[in-house]
Amino acid sequence: MPYIPDFDTDAILGALNAISQKHPEGSPERDVIELAQIALVYPRHIRKEDDFRRFYKEFFDPSFKLKVSHEFATREEADKWLASGKAEDAERVKIAGKGFMVVRLPGRFTFMSAPLEDEEVEEDESGEDSE
């Protein structure tokens, strides 16, 4: 996937529209292209185009580092914070030196193991990740 500096959202929407017209209404291809168009319009709709452009640039930056929002010494401390209602879906945290991501499940949030760049992932005897 190439990086397009200073992309023009309207031009991209136009190109996607031209491509979608080549597929029949209701086809999976057309549905996916139309979904991509909506996804491009959404940042404009919520007035977050600058945030999207920053994310897009970071996506291609090889030096990009995940941002850890909180560090907790213990799982109990992290669980207390999670229960406080201040956590956001996909937020990255460090608990006892290990990386986790906040994940929204039906009716609650939980932590999912998500190792950070500098963290070694333990492997079991079969050679697969143990988490």
Side-chain angles (χ1 to χ4, degrees), residues 8-61:
D8 179 345
T9 301
D10 292 324
I12 293 171
L13 290 169
L16 288 171
N17 190 54
I19 295 167
S20 75
Q21 298 302 314
K22 295 178 181 179
H23 298 281
E25 184 99 23
S27 69
E29 294 84 1
R30 188 166 183 160
D31 290 348
V32 166
I33 294 166
E34 289 174 356
L35 178 62
Q37 289 175 299
I38 292 168
L40 276 175
V41 171
Y42 181 71
R44 179 182 293 170
H45 176 72
I46 63 169
R47 297 178 173 29
K48 297 281 187 176
E49 283 183 280
D50 290 341
D51 289 348
F52 177 74
R53 286 183 181 280
R54 201 168 14 263
F55 169 79
Y56 177 73
K57 185 176 181 180
E58 288 174 354
F59 185 84
F60 286 94
D61 183 354

